[in-house]
Every structure is written in C-alpha cells, then in structure tokens.
Amino acid sequence: MGKRVALVLAGCGVFDGSEIHEASAALVHLSRGGAEVKIFAPNIEQRDVVNHLKGIPTEEKRNVLVESARLARGNIQDLAELKASEFDAVIFPGGFGVAKNLCSWAVDGKNCTVNEHVNSTLQAFHSAKKPIGLCCISPVLAAKVFPGCEVTVGQDKNVDGRFPDAETASAIVELGCKHICKNVNESHVDKANKIVTTCAFMCKAPLHEIFDGIGTMVQEVLKLA
C-alpha cells in the first residue's frame, strides 16, 4: 500500500503563492513513488496579489485556498481539516506564498510568525515522528518552529551568482538551527527530526536539476514514512 502524503500549498504563482513547477514536481515524484496524496491550503486571504507579467502588486484580493485549488485541479481541503493521524508524511513546496501567506518571513525575516494551522500541522507531524518535506524557501518554516533542526536552502554564499538569496542561510543559523550546504540536485535529511529539505528555485538552475532535487527530497520522505 502506498504512503499517504499531505501536500500543503500557499496559493498559485511564484510571487504570491506556491511555485507551480515545485508543486507539480512534488506531485509527479509522489505519483511515481506510489503515494496517495491529498492537498491542503489555509483558508485565508493572501498577503498580496502580484501581476506576474509585470512583477508588481495589484489591488486585488484573493484567497489562498481558492487560488491553491487551481493547482489541485479543484481537489483540495482547508488546512484546518488536516489530521496528521491520517497521513504518513507532509510536504510543503516553496514559492513566495510560503513567506507571505504561510508565515510572515517576507516581511519579518527570522522574527516572523507562522500561520496557526501551518504551525499546528508541523507540530503534529513532528510529535508523531512522521517526516516533513520542504523545498525552496519553505525550510524556514522548520527553522522557525523547530529550533536546533538541520535544513538546507542551498548554499550560504552566492556561489557563481547562482544563490542570490544565500543570506537566508544566515538567518536560519541565527534562529539556532544548522544550515547544510547542498547543491540543487541534492537534499538534506535531518534524521533526528525527520525533516527533509532541498533548495529548488533558491538556486538559479535548469528546471530539470530543480526537478531532480525535489525528487531526492520526495524519495527520502517516502523512505522515512
């Protein structure tokens, strides 16, 4: 029987929601791994709505759950309904929506607050010793909720101009966590906390390398489940 995995989204679109390629990659790798997936998102208003053609905020108001339903092909539930007891693992794709909607990292950095349902979901899986997979910016959720954990967001220096957000690693360290430097096609496993992370679009890399890195994260999550 396949593993039961919850996938948590933050909207639809890299600048104000979940990164679509990351969400799709996670779903493809989970399907290949024989997992049974259910998708969730918080029923809250987005922090902002970005015109992805122009790269600027608009005056629109959108709902995270409603927008995430685009990625889920309509098959989605309110995050408040997620019960960790019904799943073997949980995975969070990245995208600025994680830093805007699931927590306030985009505004407050390491002093951010985490959405109550995101926090309770993470705590429930961690307490049950069930694996948590995170990619791109979403490892900051673990860094904020689980002091002392190990995560990666790629490199801690802007190596060859490929890691423009390398300062995120320093903020993670300031939270009392350990940052592990990894390449885009790799993931890191914090065995003690059962947290698996990969940098995805935190690295400027070809899409297939990002896809492969997310694949290693999903594989490790399924191994731990």
Side-chain angles (χ1 to χ4, degrees), residues 161-181:
R162 298 176 77 219
F163 295 89
D165 301 306
E167 70 276 1
T168 304
S170 299
I172 286 168
V173 171
E174 288 175 21
L175 283 170
C177 298
K178 186 173 183 180
H179 180 265
I180 310 297
C181 291

Side-chain angles (χ1 to χ4, degrees), residues 19-40:
E19 211 296 320
I20 293 170
H21 299 294
E22 292 178 13
S24 179
L27 287 166
V28 170
H29 287 296
L30 285 165
S31 176
R32 183 170 286 148
E36 176 189 338
V37 181
K38 290 189 177 179
I39 304 176
F40 298 84

Side-chain angles (χ1 to χ4, degrees), residues 2-223:
K3 303 297 183 181
R4 301 163 301 168
V5 180
L7 188 83
V8 180
L9 298 179
C12 181
V14 59
F15 298 126
D16 58 12
S18 288
E19 211 296 320
I20 293 170
H21 299 294
E22 292 178 13
S24 179
L27 287 166
V28 170
H29 287 296
L30 285 165
S31 176
R32 183 170 286 148
E36 176 189 338
V37 181
K38 290 189 177 179
I39 304 176
F40 298 84
N43 187 10
I44 57 174
E45 188 175 289
Q46 289 184 190
R47 177 175 289 273
D48 62 12
V49 177
V50 175
N51 179 324
H52 280 62
L53 181 62
K54 297 181 178 179
I56 57 174
T58 72
E59 295 300 314
E60 283 183 74
K61 301 294 183 185
R62 296 191 185 186
N63 178 279
V64 174
L65 179 59
V66 172
E67 290 302 295
S68 298
R70 294 174 179 271
L71 279 170
R73 298 172 61 88
N75 189 9
I76 194 167
Q77 294 173 259
D78 188 336
L79 183 60
E81 299 172 6
L82 194 163
K83 296 181 175 63
S85 59
E86 296 177 356
F87 295 92
D88 301 303
V90 64
I91 288 177
F92 290 76
F96 281 114
V98 171
K100 291 178 175 181
N101 304 325
L102 303 192
C103 70
S104 63
W105 188 278
V107 176
D108 303 318
K110 69 180 189 300
N111 298 316
C112 72
T113 56
V114 178
N115 171 273
E116 61 174 317
H117 296 301
V118 173
N119 184 69
S120 62
T121 295
L122 289 166
Q123 295 282 9
F125 277 86
H126 188 258
S127 296
K129 294 181 168 47
K130 294 179 177 181
I132 299 166
L134 307 129
C135 66
C136 194
I137 191 63
S138 63
V140 302
L141 296 172
K144 186 66 180 181
V145 175
F146 307 118
C149 72
E150 298 177 358
V151 298
T152 188
V153 289
Q155 300 291 323
D156 56 10
K157 294 181 178 60
N158 190 9
V159 181
D160 298 327
R162 298 176 77 219
F163 295 89
D165 301 306
E167 70 276 1
T168 304
S170 299
I172 286 168
V173 171
E174 288 175 21
L175 283 170
C177 298
K178 186 173 183 180
H179 180 265
I180 310 297
C181 291
K182 290 285 183 178
N183 292 323
V184 67
N185 59 348
E186 300 176 312
S187 56
H188 176 69
V189 181
D190 177 347
K191 293 181 180 177
N193 290 292
K194 289 195 172 182
I195 295 171
V196 188
T197 50
T198 189
C199 70
F201 278 99
M202 294 292 275
C203 177
K204 290 184 176 180
L207 183 57
H208 70 276
E209 293 184 11
I210 291 163
F211 183 88
D212 291 345
I214 292 171
T216 67
M217 181 267 285
V218 169
Q219 290 165 18
E220 294 296 341
V221 166
L222 294 178
K223 282 181 193 174

